[in-house]
Amino acid sequence: MIHFECDYLEGAHPAILERLVETNLEKTAGYGLDPYCDAAKEKIRQACGCPQAEVHFLVGGTQTNATVIGAMLKPYEGVIAAETGHISVHEAGAIEAGGHKVLTLPHHNGKLDPKEVAAYLNAFYADSTYTHMVFPGMVYISHPTEYGTLYTADELTELHALCTLYQIPLFLDGARLAYGLAADGTDVTLETIAKTCDVFYFGGTKVGALFGEAVVFPQPGKVSQFFTYIKQQGALLAKGRLLGIQFDTLFTNNLYQEIGSHTIAMAKKLKDGLTAKGYSFFLNSPTNQQFIIVDNEKLAELEKKVVYSVWEKYDETHTVIRFATSWATTEEDVDTLLSYL
Amino acid sequence: MIHFECDYLEGAHPAILERLVETNLEKTAGYGLDPYCDAAKEKIRQACGCPQAEVHFLVGGTQTNATVIGAMLKPYEGVIAAETGHISVHEAGAIEAGGHKVLTLPHHNGKLDPKEVAAYLNAFYADSTYTHMVFPGMVYISHPTEYGTLYTADELTELHALCTLYQIPLFLDGARLAYGLAADGTDVTLETIAKTCDVFYFGGTKVGALFGEAVVFPQPGKVSQFFTYIKQQGALLAKGRLLGIQFDTLFTNNLYQEIGSHTIAMAKKLKDGLTAKGYSFFLNSPTNQQFIIVDNEKLAELEKKVVYSVWEKYDETHTVIRFATSWATTEEDVDTLLSYL
Amino acid sequence: MIHFECDYLEGAHPAILERLVETNLEKTAGYGLDPYCDAAKEKIRQACGCPQAEVHFLVGGTQTNATVIGAMLKPYEGVIAAETGHISVHEAGAIEAGGHKVLTLPHHNGKLDPKEVAAYLNAFYADSTYTHMVFPGMVYISHPTEYGTLYTADELTELHALCTLYQIPLFLDGARLAYGLAADGTDVTLETIAKTCDVFYFGGTKVGALFGEAVVFPQPGKVSQFFTYIKQQGALLAKGRLLGIQFDTLFTNNLYQEIGSHTIAMAKKLKDGLTAKGYSFFLNSPTNQQFIIVDNEKLAELEKKVVYSVWEKYDETHTVIRFATSWATTEEDVDTLLSYL
Amino acid sequence: MIHFECDYLEGAHPAILERLVETNLEKTAGYGLDPYCDAAKEKIRQACGCPQAEVHFLVGGTQTNATVIGAMLKPYEGVIAAETGHISVHEAGAIEAGGHKVLTLPHHNGKLDPKEVAAYLNAFYADSTYTHMVFPGMVYISHPTEYGTLYTADELTELHALCTLYQIPLFLDGARLAYGLAADGTDVTLETIAKTCDVFYFGGTKVGALFGEAVVFPQPGKVSQFFTYIKQQGALLAKGRLLGIQFDTLFTNNLYQEIGSHTIAMAKKLKDGLTAKGYSFFLNSPTNQQFIIVDNEKLAELEKKVVYSVWEKYDETHTVIRFATSWATTEEDVDTLLSYL
């Protein structure tokens, strides 16, 4: 049985685990007040080219989304997101549990269209009853999206201009950011993100860490007492250094980039192989998630040998499935998968 | 200037105000523990044919929706509603502020389609990731809807069967219930509602009261300590008898029905006049809200003489506007309006 | 049977009801966007000597407390209150339901001691673990307190200085403010309140209105989109003019002050009578609530003729009870009550 | 410098880390649906003697408290806790952020007195205004308490009887449960806890795990859809097996008990040494936290060599400090500490 169902199947990248083992018996202060967290934050600031950036470590993605959104919105505000956004669908209502509506717009291969966001914002304030409605208080995007697609630098710039105009923050969910940065043909760099977003995060969980997400506010002072809010949300890890050590490792010797590149290389090999074999893609993803349309009979056979994700029904006889690569995917794994297809 | 913009333009029906004046100097216990509330509850139980019904009085509609929904949903549940439902759009996020997602489905002239609700519920539990999503914990409908349309008895029965199957309550927002009951051609009676809904309310605010909504649980025991929850939501009126007196008056000598009938008669007269003059209706409403499509030039002229509600843009040169009748609308008012059109 | 159990036993002061009757058939815009609300706000601004003040009308006290506190606190903040404060005890957890802790301090006849508030704030920031605790984000006082007692101008000034130092608002719950302003010997005027508090409200419910509380922010701009937040909290009255008319009446020809004076005169007559008869007071209240210690045997007899509030057990054989006067209390009522004692 | 400030200074017990390394490259399903979680749950059920128990793994203590309490309380309920309870003081208002009041009672060396709990519950329902107050909906205790003290089996039985009488759950926070079970003289076993508590948890973070808390409902079915609620609270770890592996290790070959015993042995050695040197104890703790009263001058000297926790000011010249032992504390560490004192 080979596994291509997701990018968080293993424990951690060996380099990370090694550091955890090496440092295991050291005694440090809790709650992130340790030298590893300090070092990791500094390396992240350098990677982003933001010496002033405020960096915070949290444990998981849903938690991070809920904590950032809850901290930045006023009580009468909601967050604009694509209808396919992770916060709209697969977080069990965490944003609403925090008191805020997710204001959904149609997705285009997982992405928001900046023009539609502009139209929404414009229409909102043009509606004579807008004071009876939820104010749009933030724009949330994921990059890569839940469909593996990417925004262009122009699109981010356009969203940024819009957010600036309406004085609301732009929040980028980077649960799989490494794969977006390493994708072929993208013109979005870390610098682009740091310049256009008010807050974003580097996902660790899906990029080789045991767990952990690093939230970056390129300009400090956007939220007050975020540490306490993290604590209130149950998102403050007692042994905070576990996050510091992991992110310090990821941002040392370009490990984060390397994981991105390797994963993308494996995805590309897979994509090329699928193309060669004549498979139809559900959409064109430049990152580590590949969505193909498969005949249900073929699928019945395939599921004996490969674990994949069922994405959605395509038609009566076909299904959309997802394969994902990761730091742990080998060339051999891809060859084996292709041989089954 | 004549007014047709909504059905809550005046104070109260004179019979109500008279009772408030008559009883003004009486001294009664607060918080609804007075004889007027008791009497009103009993009359409501009789009107519904539910001698066991639990009745509670609240002040306004948004408050009532948020209180009922918050009391009945579990923390991991949301409420299914039409995308045009009042709770989805015009309550400033009150439901989400209480921690619950509004799960929207397409509307059909303001109504949910029971088949689509069934499909949604079925698809939810068929999705392998449903435990990561918001559980559908209630179905919310308004009757009349925000577009003045009505469910049929069959549709209510179908929704009821569905809710029973999935063990979730059916909640009917009756902010304008009197107009629904008095409409021509409806087969929905109070008895239908009491048999198919787990909870519903008689709106007072839009039906001649100063304010007030009467929540009815046809079967008691559906929520525990609802009184305290009302208090917590800031929805408990200190001088609760003001609600008791108003609803006692509305349910004495069929005043509630009479207000319904008069208002519908005025709406019908208006509708007939509009039809005769060749106006296009945006949709066919059998109740007190009439939506017509008007040329923008005509509108510019009209707004000097009539106050109406702008509903939405129809096309580049036309607009959908709403006229509403109420207990206070006279034949003369309608004639005057028609003379302007 | 005579009634002295509270100050909201009747409907409304006749002058208020008369205005409601007079204006009943007028047609006005909803949600407070009517001329009566405008006029009432202007009169309130003048009464406070704050031409810039922002004024909002809500329906009830618990609702007002929850709405003001929820709008002004950040998510990681709580509100300091006396352990006997209305928000601490008798609002069914409305503040916590909004996500905020009530940080209680000991009461002194219902009042906070500014020195203890200072000590609390100082100790909070001196505690090395304060970032793991709820930040004190507001000071809430009631004036008169739940025990009928009053702050002095010096105490308000001291609390104001403290709040300014810690950059948190001072919020005064004036559910019974009229009685505080009319009390003998108080040096607190409306001007004092407007200068020392960031937000306060004039209670209507307990001062002769059917319902209604008028929130005043002496300096505008302290909260953004408060209207929408009121709507979200279910606290926006559709027929908002009912609040405007009531407060306009209360602030015309000094009715609010007159109600205060009459009520205090009746309380004073009662207090003098009680003193003459040798009753022990639980505490010395200068306002319309009088608390006396009564032998339980006497009480058993009394309860056949008078309705009073049981406050608390005093000892095995005595109970603390409360009598309250109001605009509707007559000299004769007081004489009758005294004759029973 | 030696460290005695807390029991979560290191990474994890080596046996745990070893298992994480061994299993690192295995590919398993996420969110706890893996064989390690299954195995760990089964071992925990056996350890508790509850074959029917429902077991869930969460990441941290504050998160676990907020999630369990939020899932079990109705919206109008609060949770009774000692004023020194972790949820009352050091969770940044997490319980209130979830909408619930913490109803505090005085502590007795960190413990609730069952008699006082009984009196509180009795007084609540005897108060004629109780429907305006927060209902006591749960009793929360920590065992060991924040002061290292322990309940007796009789006290747990008494609390259990009380909770049964009032039909509310008893929740035991076992962040340091291993130390309570291993303490000298305790008559509380796991069986006692499983029989008297409706829900409790085995803390991992402070007992040798990297992180993790194992929630046990001895009787299943007490909460519905707890998995989804965990997800909503941001408390569901994507790589859930990390929790399974850790708890499987802790409950294999009695590691959990061994860590308890070793830690207690070290605490006892320290306590004996402190006694021998004539130190005054702030209270008599039978577990791994020892609180002593130290002269401030002595302290100034001590802090150059030892890291400890400052607990509170004792008097003008003395301070209460805390030393904590853990699985990583050696005899040598204790000897060194004693040599400094």
Side-chain angles (χ1 to χ4, degrees):
Chain A
M1 206 69 171
I2 57 170
H3 288 264
F4 277 85
E5 71 263 42
C6 72
D7 37 19
Y8 44 97
L9 292 164
E10 297 84 13
H13 187 283
I16 287 176
L17 207 53
E18 208 170 289
R19 287 289 297 286
L20 288 173
V21 170
E22 278 170 24
T23 58
N24 189 48
L25 295 183
E26 292 181 22
K27 293 168 194 290
T28 60
Y31 307 113
L33 308 172
D34 64 88
Y36 295 106
C37 283
D38 289 347
K41 288 177 183 184
E42 191 49 35
K43 286 177 185 167
I44 285 173
R45 283 186 202 105
Q46 283 173 19
C48 302
C50 295
Q52 307 294 331
E54 200 178 316
V55 183
H56 298 268
F57 300 118
L58 285 88
V59 174
T62 292
Q63 182 185 82
T64 301
N65 287 334
T67 304
V68 168
I69 291 169
M72 297 194 82
L73 291 186
K74 299 202 184 70
Y76 55 85
E77 293 178 332
V79 53
I80 293 175
E83 60 192 333
T84 49
H86 205 258
I87 60 168
S88 312
V89 185
H90 279 118
E91 301 193 350
I95 306 308
E96 291 84 2
H100 302 286
K101 194 181 187 82
V102 180
L103 303 161
T104 51
L105 290 182
H107 80 105
H108 302 278
N109 290 338
K111 292 163 60 182
L112 284 174
D113 177 342
K115 300 285 177 278
E116 290 176 5
V117 177
Y120 180 87
L121 288 163
N122 185 55
F124 178 81
Y125 289 102
D127 186 323
S128 64
T129 64
Y130 79 90
T131 57
H132 290 239
M133 302 196 294
V134 176
F135 278 63
M138 175 187 264
V139 175
Y140 164 93
I141 54 174
S142 30
H143 182 89
T145 67
E146 293 71 15
Y147 281 97
T149 51
L150 295 174
Y151 287 86
T152 63
D154 276 356
E155 287 169 334
L156 291 184
T157 302
E158 210 172 331
L159 286 170
H160 171 63
L162 210 47
C163 286
T164 304
L165 180 64
Y166 285 93
Q167 297 185 285
I168 58 178
L170 177 60
F171 172 30
L172 184 148
D173 170 340
R176 292 185 171 99
L177 187 50
Y179 311 136
L181 295 171
D184 275 9
T186 183
D187 61 353
V188 171
T189 63
L190 260 186
E191 203 182 23
T192 319
I193 290 170
K195 279 194 178 156
T196 55
C197 297
D198 296 276
V199 56
F200 67 96
Y201 64 97
F202 291 102
T205 306
K206 293 171 178 170
V207 187
L210 289 173
F211 55 84
E213 319 291 312
V215 176
V216 182
F217 294 91
Q219 302 302 325
K222 295 272 178 175
V223 288
S224 54
Q225 308 302 348
F226 195 53
F227 178 92
T228 299
Y229 189 63
I230 292 171
K231 174 69 184 170
Q232 187 188 77
Q233 295 294 299
L236 185 67
L237 196 66
K239 297 180 180 175
R241 80 180 195 203
L242 300 175
L243 293 161
I245 292 165
Q246 292 187 87
F247 278 99
D248 186 65
T249 307
L250 285 169
F251 283 85
T252 298
N253 297 332
N254 295 318
L255 178 59
Y256 193 74
Q257 289 87 331
E258 267 176 35
I259 288 175
S261 305
H262 169 80
T263 302
I264 289 298
M266 292 304 100
K268 200 149 176 285
K269 180 180 166 76
L270 173 59
K271 191 176 181 179
D272 291 346
L274 289 164
T275 306
K277 284 176 176 274
Y279 276 92
S280 296
F281 289 86
F282 181 56
L283 51 71
N284 181 23
S285 159
T287 61
N288 75 319
Q289 302 180 79
Q290 296 297 325
F291 300 85
I292 57 172
I293 301 163
V294 189
D295 187 286
N296 292 345
E297 285 184 22
K298 176 81 188 165
L299 218 51
E301 197 186 309
L302 197 63
E303 75 186 10
K304 293 170 193 153
K305 305 181 197 157
V306 188
V307 190
Y308 52 81
S309 280
V310 171
W311 212 248
E312 58 189 77
K313 180 178 163 174
Y314 184 74
D315 62 23
E316 289 311 309
T317 55
H318 293 79
T319 299
V320 179
I321 66 167
R322 184 189 72 172
F323 295 135
T325 59
S326 77
W327 64 268
T329 308
T330 61
E331 301 241 1
E332 194 182 21
D333 291 336
V334 177
D335 289 334
T336 308
L337 172 58
L338 288 170
S339 75
Y340 293 160
L341 286 162
Chain B
M1 206 71 170
I2 56 169
H3 289 263
F4 277 86
E5 71 263 42
C6 72
D7 38 19
Y8 44 99
L9 291 164
E10 297 83 13
H13 187 282
I16 287 176
L17 206 52
E18 208 170 291
R19 286 289 297 285
L20 289 174
V21 171
E22 278 169 26
T23 58
N24 189 50
L25 295 183
E26 292 180 22
K27 295 170 193 287
T28 60
Y31 308 113
L33 308 172
D34 63 88
Y36 295 106
C37 283
D38 288 347
K41 289 178 183 183
E42 191 49 34
K43 287 177 184 167
I44 286 174
R45 283 187 203 104
Q46 284 173 18
C48 303
C50 294
Q52 307 294 330
E54 200 179 319
V55 182
H56 298 268
F57 299 119
L58 285 86
V59 174
T62 293
Q63 183 185 80
T64 300
N65 287 333
T67 304
V68 168
I69 292 170
M72 296 193 83
L73 291 186
K74 300 202 184 69
Y76 54 86
E77 293 177 333
V79 53
I80 293 176
E83 59 192 332
T84 48
H86 205 257
I87 59 168
S88 312
V89 185
H90 280 119
E91 301 193 351
I95 306 309
E96 292 83 2
H100 302 286
K101 194 182 188 81
V102 180
L103 303 160
T104 52
L105 291 182
H107 80 106
H108 302 277
N109 290 339
K111 291 163 60 181
L112 284 174
D113 177 342
K115 300 283 178 281
E116 290 176 5
V117 177
Y120 180 87
L121 287 163
N122 185 55
F124 178 82
Y125 289 102
D127 186 323
S128 63
T129 64
Y130 79 91
T131 57
H132 290 239
M133 302 195 296
V134 176
F135 278 63
M138 175 187 264
V139 175
Y140 163 94
I141 54 175
S142 30
H143 182 88
T145 67
E146 293 72 15
Y147 282 95
T149 51
L150 294 175
Y151 287 86
T152 63
D154 277 356
E155 287 169 334
L156 292 184
T157 302
E158 210 173 329
L159 286 171
H160 171 63
L162 209 48
C163 286
T164 304
L165 180 64
Y166 286 93
Q167 298 185 286
I168 58 179
L170 177 59
F171 172 30
L172 184 147
D173 170 339
R176 293 186 170 98
L177 187 49
Y179 310 136
L181 295 170
D184 275 9
T186 182
D187 62 352
V188 172
T189 62
L190 259 186
E191 203 183 23
T192 319
I193 290 170
K195 279 196 179 154
T196 55
C197 297
D198 296 276
V199 57
F200 68 96
Y201 64 97
F202 290 102
T205 306
K206 294 171 178 171
V207 187
L210 289 173
F211 55 85
E213 320 291 312
V215 176
V216 181
F217 294 92
Q219 302 302 325
K222 295 273 177 172
V223 288
S224 53
Q225 308 302 346
F226 195 53
F227 178 91
T228 300
Y229 189 62
I230 291 171
K231 173 70 184 169
Q232 188 188 76
Q233 295 294 299
L236 185 66
L237 195 66
K239 296 180 180 174
R241 80 179 193 203
L242 301 176
L243 292 161
I245 292 165
Q246 292 187 87
F247 278 99
D248 186 65
T249 308
L250 285 169
F251 284 85
T252 298
N253 297 332
N254 295 318
L255 178 59
Y256 192 75
Q257 288 87 331
E258 267 175 36
I259 288 176
S261 306
H262 170 81
T263 302
I264 289 298
M266 292 303 100
K268 200 150 174 286
K269 180 180 167 74
L270 173 60
K271 192 176 180 179
D272 291 346
L274 289 164
T275 306
K277 283 177 177 274
Y279 278 91
S280 297
F281 289 86
F282 182 56
L283 49 72
N284 181 22
S285 159
T287 60
N288 75 319
Q289 303 179 79
Q290 296 297 323
F291 300 84
I292 56 171
I293 302 164
V294 188
D295 187 285
N296 292 346
E297 285 184 23
K298 176 84 188 164
L299 219 51
E301 197 185 311
L302 196 62
E303 75 187 9
K304 292 170 195 155
K305 305 180 197 159
V306 188
V307 190
Y308 52 80
S309 280
V310 172
W311 212 249
E312 58 190 75
K313 180 178 163 175
Y314 184 73
D315 62 23
E316 289 311 310
T317 54
H318 293 79
T319 299
V320 179
I321 66 167
R322 182 189 73 172
F323 295 133
T325 59
S326 77
W327 63 268
T329 308
T330 62
E331 301 241 1
E332 194 183 19
D333 291 336
V334 177
D335 288 333
T336 308
L337 173 57
L338 288 170
S339 75
Y340 294 160
L341 286 162
Chain C
M1 205 71 168
I2 55 169
H3 288 264
F4 277 86
E5 70 264 41
C6 71
D7 37 20
Y8 45 98
L9 291 165
E10 296 84 11
H13 187 282
I16 287 176
L17 207 52
E18 209 170 288
R19 286 290 297 286
L20 289 173
V21 171
E22 279 169 25
T23 59
N24 189 48
L25 295 183
E26 292 181 22
K27 294 169 194 287
T28 60
Y31 308 114
L33 308 171
D34 63 88
Y36 295 106
C37 283
D38 288 348
K41 288 178 183 183
E42 191 49 35
K43 287 177 185 167
I44 286 174
R45 283 187 203 103
Q46 282 173 20
C48 302
C50 293
Q52 307 294 330
E54 200 178 318
V55 183
H56 299 267
F57 299 118
L58 286 88
V59 174
T62 292
Q63 183 185 81
T64 301
N65 287 334
T67 303
V68 168
I69 291 170
M72 297 194 83
L73 290 186
K74 300 203 183 70
Y76 54 86
E77 292 177 333
V79 53
I80 294 175
E83 60 193 331
T84 49
H86 205 257
I87 60 168
S88 314
V89 185
H90 280 118
E91 301 192 351
I95 306 308
E96 292 83 2
H100 302 286
K101 195 181 187 82
V102 179
L103 303 160
T104 52
L105 291 182
H107 80 105
H108 302 278
N109 290 339
K111 292 164 59 182
L112 284 174
D113 177 341
K115 301 282 177 281
E116 290 176 5
V117 177
Y120 180 86
L121 287 163
N122 185 55
F124 178 81
Y125 289 101
D127 186 322
S128 63
T129 65
Y130 79 90
T131 58
H132 291 239
M133 303 196 294
V134 176
F135 279 62
M138 176 187 262
V139 174
Y140 163 93
I141 54 175
S142 29
H143 182 89
T145 68
E146 293 71 16
Y147 281 97
T149 50
L150 295 174
Y151 287 86
T152 63
D154 276 356
E155 287 168 334
L156 292 184
T157 303
E158 209 173 333
L159 286 170
H160 171 62
L162 210 46
C163 286
T164 304
L165 179 65
Y166 285 93
Q167 298 185 283
I168 59 178
L170 178 60
F171 172 29
L172 184 148
D173 170 339
R176 293 186 171 98
L177 188 50
Y179 310 136
L181 295 170
D184 275 9
T186 183
D187 60 352
V188 172
T189 63
L190 259 186
E191 202 183 25
T192 318
I193 290 170
K195 280 197 178 154
T196 54
C197 296
D198 296 275
V199 56
F200 67 96
Y201 64 97
F202 290 101
T205 306
K206 293 172 178 169
V207 187
L210 289 173
F211 55 84
E213 319 292 311
V215 175
V216 181
F217 294 92
Q219 302 301 324
K222 295 274 177 174
V223 287
S224 53
Q225 308 301 348
F226 195 53
F227 178 91
T228 300
Y229 189 63
I230 291 172
K231 174 70 183 169
Q232 188 187 77
Q233 295 295 299
L236 185 67
L237 196 66
K239 298 181 180 173
R241 81 180 193 202
L242 301 176
L243 293 161
I245 292 165
Q246 292 187 87
F247 278 99
D248 186 65
T249 308
L250 284 169
F251 283 85
T252 298
N253 297 330
N254 296 317
L255 178 59
Y256 193 75
Q257 288 86 330
E258 266 176 36
I259 288 176
S261 304
H262 170 80
T263 302
I264 289 297
M266 292 304 100
K268 199 149 175 287
K269 180 179 167 77
L270 173 58
K271 191 176 181 180
D272 290 346
L274 289 164
T275 307
K277 283 176 177 276
Y279 277 92
S280 296
F281 290 86
F282 182 54
L283 49 72
N284 182 22
S285 158
T287 62
N288 76 318
Q289 302 179 79
Q290 296 297 325
F291 301 84
I292 57 171
I293 303 163
V294 188
D295 187 286
N296 292 346
E297 285 183 23
K298 175 82 188 167
L299 219 51
E301 196 185 311
L302 198 61
E303 74 186 11
K304 292 170 196 156
K305 305 181 197 160
V306 187
V307 190
Y308 52 80
S309 281
V310 171
W311 212 249
E312 58 189 75
K313 180 178 162 175
Y314 184 74
D315 62 24
E316 289 312 308
T317 53
H318 294 79
T319 299
V320 179
I321 66 168
R322 182 189 74 171
F323 296 133
T325 59
S326 77
W327 64 269
T329 308
T330 61
E331 300 241 359
E332 194 182 18
D333 291 335
V334 177
D335 288 334
T336 308
L337 172 57
L338 288 171
S339 76
Y340 293 161
L341 287 161
Chain D
M1 206 71 168
I2 55 170
H3 288 264
F4 277 86
E5 71 263 41
C6 71
D7 38 20
Y8 44 99
L9 292 164
E10 297 83 13
H13 187 281
I16 287 175
L17 207 52
E18 210 170 288
R19 286 290 296 287
L20 289 173
V21 171
E22 278 170 25
T23 58
N24 189 49
L25 296 182
E26 292 181 21
K27 294 169 194 289
T28 60
Y31 308 112
L33 308 171
D34 64 88
Y36 295 106
C37 283
D38 288 348
K41 288 178 183 183
E42 191 49 36
K43 286 177 184 166
I44 285 173
R45 284 187 202 103
Q46 283 173 19
C48 302
C50 293
Q52 306 294 331
E54 200 179 318
V55 183
H56 298 268
F57 299 119
L58 285 88
V59 174
T62 292
Q63 184 185 81
T64 301
N65 287 334
T67 304
V68 168
I69 291 169
M72 298 194 82
L73 290 186
K74 301 203 183 68
Y76 54 86
E77 293 178 332
V79 51
I80 293 175
E83 60 193 331
T84 49
H86 205 257
I87 59 169
S88 314
V89 185
H90 279 119
E91 301 192 351
I95 305 309
E96 291 85 2
H100 301 287
K101 194 182 188 81
V102 180
L103 303 160
T104 52
L105 290 182
H107 80 106
H108 302 277
N109 290 338
K111 293 163 60 180
L112 284 173
D113 177 341
K115 300 284 177 281
E116 290 176 4
V117 177
Y120 180 87
L121 287 163
N122 185 56
F124 178 82
Y125 289 101
D127 187 322
S128 63
T129 65
Y130 80 91
T131 58
H132 291 239
M133 302 196 293
V134 176
F135 278 62
M138 175 187 264
V139 175
Y140 163 93
I141 55 175
S142 30
H143 182 88
T145 67
E146 294 70 17
Y147 282 96
T149 51
L150 295 174
Y151 286 86
T152 63
D154 276 356
E155 286 169 334
L156 292 183
T157 302
E158 209 173 331
L159 287 170
H160 171 63
L162 209 46
C163 287
T164 304
L165 179 64
Y166 285 93
Q167 297 184 284
I168 59 178
L170 177 59
F171 172 29
L172 183 148
D173 169 340
R176 293 187 170 98
L177 187 50
Y179 311 135
L181 296 170
D184 275 10
T186 182
D187 60 353
V188 172
T189 63
L190 260 185
E191 203 184 23
T192 319
I193 289 169
K195 280 196 178 154
T196 54
C197 297
D198 296 275
V199 56
F200 68 94
Y201 64 97
F202 290 103
T205 306
K206 294 172 178 169
V207 187
L210 289 173
F211 56 85
E213 319 291 311
V215 175
V216 182
F217 293 91
Q219 301 302 325
K222 294 274 177 173
V223 287
S224 54
Q225 307 302 347
F226 195 53
F227 178 91
T228 300
Y229 188 64
I230 291 172
K231 174 70 182 168
Q232 187 188 78
Q233 295 295 298
L236 186 66
L237 197 65
K239 297 181 179 172
R241 80 180 193 203
L242 300 176
L243 292 161
I245 292 165
Q246 293 187 87
F247 277 99
D248 187 65
T249 307
L250 284 169
F251 283 84
T252 298
N253 298 330
N254 296 319
L255 178 58
Y256 193 74
Q257 289 85 332
E258 267 175 36
I259 288 175
S261 305
H262 170 80
T263 302
I264 290 297
M266 291 303 100
K268 200 151 175 285
K269 179 180 166 76
L270 173 59
K271 191 177 182 178
D272 291 347
L274 289 164
T275 307
K277 283 177 177 274
Y279 277 91
S280 296
F281 290 86
F282 182 56
L283 50 71
N284 181 23
S285 159
T287 62
N288 76 318
Q289 302 179 79
Q290 296 297 325
F291 301 84
I292 57 171
I293 302 162
V294 188
D295 187 287
N296 291 347
E297 285 184 23
K298 176 81 188 167
L299 218 51
E301 197 184 310
L302 197 62
E303 76 186 9
K304 293 169 194 157
K305 305 179 196 160
V306 188
V307 190
Y308 52 82
S309 281
V310 171
W311 212 248
E312 58 188 78
K313 180 178 163 176
Y314 184 73
D315 62 23
E316 289 311 310
T317 54
H318 293 79
T319 300
V320 179
I321 66 168
R322 182 189 75 172
F323 295 133
T325 59
S326 78
W327 63 269
T329 308
T330 62
E331 301 241 0
E332 195 183 18
D333 291 336
V334 178
D335 288 334
T336 307
L337 172 58
L338 288 170
S339 76
Y340 293 160
L341 287 160

